[in-house]
Amino acid sequence: MRPKKAKKIVFKSAEEMPIMICSVGDQTHNLTGAWRNIRPEIDLSKCIKCGICWKFCPEPSIDVVDEWPVVDYDYCKGCGICAEECPAKCIVMVEERR
Amino acid sequence: MSQDTKKEKKFTMTLPPEELMACGHLACQGCGATLAMRYMLKGLGQKTALCIPACCWAVIDGPYPYSSLDVPIYHCAFETAASTATGVKAGLEMAGDPETTVVAWAGDGGTFDIGIQALSGAAERNDDIIYVCYDNEAYMNTGIQRSSATPYGAWTTTTPVKHFKNRPKKDIVAILAAHRIPYIATASVSHPEDFVRKVKKAKAIKGTRFFHVYAPCPTGWKSRPEDSVKLARMAVQNGLFPLYEIEDGEKYTLNLKLKDKKPVEDYLRLQGRFRHLSPEAIAEIQAEIDVRWARLLKHVEA
Ligand code: SF4
Ligand code: SF4
């Protein structure tokens, strides 16, 4: 459902560049997960599959895999909206260690 | 619920699953404007063209020639969102494509201040475009300067605490209603189902359609990023940003009826930009909300 990861297209000269933005969602080469200093962790045993975390993720970096919510840590910026909004309180924000 | 029945349960999706906004965009953590874009594209689908003037979204989208959206975007000058959209629509019609929805997508600065002349012109001609103003209540992209959408009492870099903004927010919806355009709606990122429903409704209407979307900005409001959706919800529930529609400038419909409005204080206390407010100033804001709410109810009942 979410556009898949794209490789960064590198243009060697100005002539090669398209006239207009071609808008294929190719900004996905930018892995924004590096911005994160806290990370969400979902405790699936408590999850009621309400879809609220998926609905309110501004990235959107919550995927639905086999009908379960899964965070894509390549892009999650760690804003914490999912943890704040989850009605079952099953998402905790933990400190990121790199 | 036992584990087995839970495994079989479907994941609830109250919005269309189609995702036209991709990851990797450059918005701050907890940005309300990205949520607004995500919901709007879910409602409109892929046959959409966007005209974006200078605003946060001109940056969020990514540097040329990359883009995080799966629809064509036209970056235009600050004051021309509505006129550019008019031109794009006319061009598409000439080229034999009457289907594509053309959307002008501007921030509050580009709508309330700089773009209002082009917007008023397009509304007066009733050009066939959707104009969306995502309102984060200041010029956030250039560093939090006051706009005419900044509410009374707010701190910005050009209205410092000692001289905080002492004028109320401009009532853009009333201005557009005075143009008698076919459809005007307010929406909030905390109520995406309502937003998507309105977008779908607007898509089927011909003429100028206007959306005023409440989009919290943690960077400029000095709030916690995780509170963005909560703040938008509070603004709806305390009557600061009521959800309603206006058809043909006259028929008002209130989408969310409030039995008792929550006090505005809790909302103000979550934001650093209102920290300096005295109890008297807060009482003044509350009084202003009550007056506006009563006026809206009068319109709805009329
Ligand atoms: S922390 Fe924010 S960006 Fe990360 S998954 Fe949750 S809502 Fe999405
Ligand atoms: S918000 Fe919480 S309970 Fe709902 S689907 Fe997400 S993790 Fe599960």
Side-chain angles (χ1 to χ4, degrees):
Chain A
M1 271 166 292
R2 210 153 48 79
K4 290 279 163 305
K5 258 165 250 182
K7 256 208 181 128
K8 183 167 186 174
I9 314 164
V10 182
F11 299 99
K12 295 213 176 65
S13 66
E15 286 74 43
E16 266 185 25
M17 299 259 251
I19 301 166
M20 254 180 99
I21 290 174
C22 26
S23 300
V24 286
D26 50 9
Q27 182 63 15
T28 42
H29 64 76
N30 182 27
L31 301 184
T32 48
W35 302 14
R36 187 176 59 230
N37 46 23
I38 42 172
R39 67 191 280 149
E41 275 176 7
I42 307 183
D43 178 0
L44 289 183
S45 66
K46 280 199 263 165
C47 173
I48 51 169
K49 299 190 178 184
C50 63
I52 286 181
C53 55
W54 168 82
K55 185 166 81 180
F56 285 127
C57 178
E59 291 321 305
S61 61
I62 293 189
D63 285 327
V64 184
V65 180
D66 296 335
E67 306 295 323
W68 291 103
V70 174
V71 179
D72 186 342
Y73 292 108
D74 280 345
Y75 297 108
C76 165
K77 288 175 188 161
C79 66
I81 290 181
C82 52
E84 185 75 24
E85 296 297 321
C86 171
K89 295 274 161 259
C90 59
I91 308 182
V92 282
M93 303 300 291
V94 297
E95 201 184 327
E96 182 74 60
R97 292 183 196 283
R98 290 178 202 280
Chain B
M1 212 188 313
S2 81
Q3 277 305 314
D4 283 345
T5 54
K6 217 168 117 180
K7 222 175 250 166
E8 280 158 27
K9 195 181 166 211
K10 280 242 177 299
F11 191 80
T12 323
M13 282 187 177
T14 48
L15 303 173
E18 190 187 18
E19 207 74 78
L20 293 169
M21 189 181 88
C23 298
H25 58 69
L26 303 177
C28 307
Q29 295 156 321
C31 175
T34 41
L35 279 173
M37 177 65 92
R38 184 176 171 218
Y39 301 145
M40 190 203 56
L41 289 180
K42 275 177 186 292
L44 288 181
Q46 192 136 32
K47 264 203 154 313
T48 305
L50 288 173
C51 302
I52 304 186
C55 63
C56 286
W57 252 102
V59 175
I60 295 172
D61 178 45
Y64 166 82
Y66 308 109
S67 159
S68 55
L69 298 178
D70 243 352
V71 296
I73 299 166
Y74 192 142
H75 283 293
C76 51
F78 213 151
E79 63 278 26
T80 64
S83 43
T84 307
T86 302
V88 170
K89 181 73 196 175
L92 284 170
E93 259 166 20
M94 289 291 283
D97 174 5
E99 258 175 78
T100 302
T101 318
V102 180
V103 178
W105 177 271
D108 54 290
T111 305
F112 286 64
D113 302 342
I114 300 177
I116 195 163
Q117 180 241 21
L119 171 59
S120 176
E124 191 270 327
R125 295 187 301 269
N126 200 18
D127 289 328
D128 192 15
I129 58 168
I130 298 185
Y131 192 104
V132 185
C133 166
Y134 66 94
D135 184 2
N136 46 26
E137 306 198 315
Y139 290 87
M140 295 310 180
N141 188 28
T142 48
I144 324 172
Q145 288 89 5
R146 161 206 206 276
S147 80
S148 52
T150 306
Y152 171 84
W155 162 92
T156 63
T157 50
T158 47
T159 49
V161 168
K162 264 200 182 148
H163 310 279
F164 62 75
K165 187 173 171 186
N166 60 1
R167 293 285 305 148
K169 180 174 174 140
K170 198 189 263 181
D171 191 352
I172 192 80
V173 174
I175 295 174
L176 267 294
H179 286 76
R180 296 275 185 275
I181 57 176
Y183 188 72
I184 303 171
T186 64
S188 161
V189 295
S190 57
H191 295 70
E193 292 85 1
D194 170 78
F195 187 11
V196 172
R197 178 186 66 78
K198 285 174 183 163
V199 167
K200 285 189 171 155
K201 182 172 175 185
K203 193 182 171 188
I205 298 172
K206 237 180 132 49
T208 306
R209 293 140 284 171
F210 182 81
F211 277 88
H212 186 197
V213 185
Y214 202 64
C217 165
T219 310
W221 295 9
K222 305 289 170 222
S223 58
R224 303 185 310 162
E226 61 263 46
D227 283 345
S228 290
V229 172
K230 192 168 38 173
L231 283 173
R233 187 178 301 122
M234 284 173 128
V236 171
Q237 288 175 347
N238 63 25
L240 188 70
F241 193 87
L243 298 178
Y244 60 106
E245 298 164 273
I246 309 175
E247 278 155 274
D248 302 315
E250 284 182 357
K251 192 175 162 283
Y252 282 64
T253 318
L254 195 58
N255 302 118
L256 196 78
K257 295 194 178 69
L258 302 175
K259 278 222 180 68
D260 36 8
K261 296 199 275 39
K262 300 212 166 111
V264 73
E265 181 158 5
D266 309 340
Y267 164 83
L268 300 177
R269 286 291 169 232
L270 280 178
Q271 302 170 53
R273 63 174 177 157
F274 290 120
R275 194 162 42 203
H276 55 273
L277 288 185
S278 61
E280 295 81 57
I282 292 177
E284 221 171 286
I285 295 176
Q286 183 68 56
E288 166 84 16
I289 293 176
D290 293 343
V291 170
R292 278 175 170 236
W293 181 257
R295 196 184 307 146
L296 177 64
L297 283 188
K298 221 188 254 165
H299 277 305
V300 172
E301 279 151 19

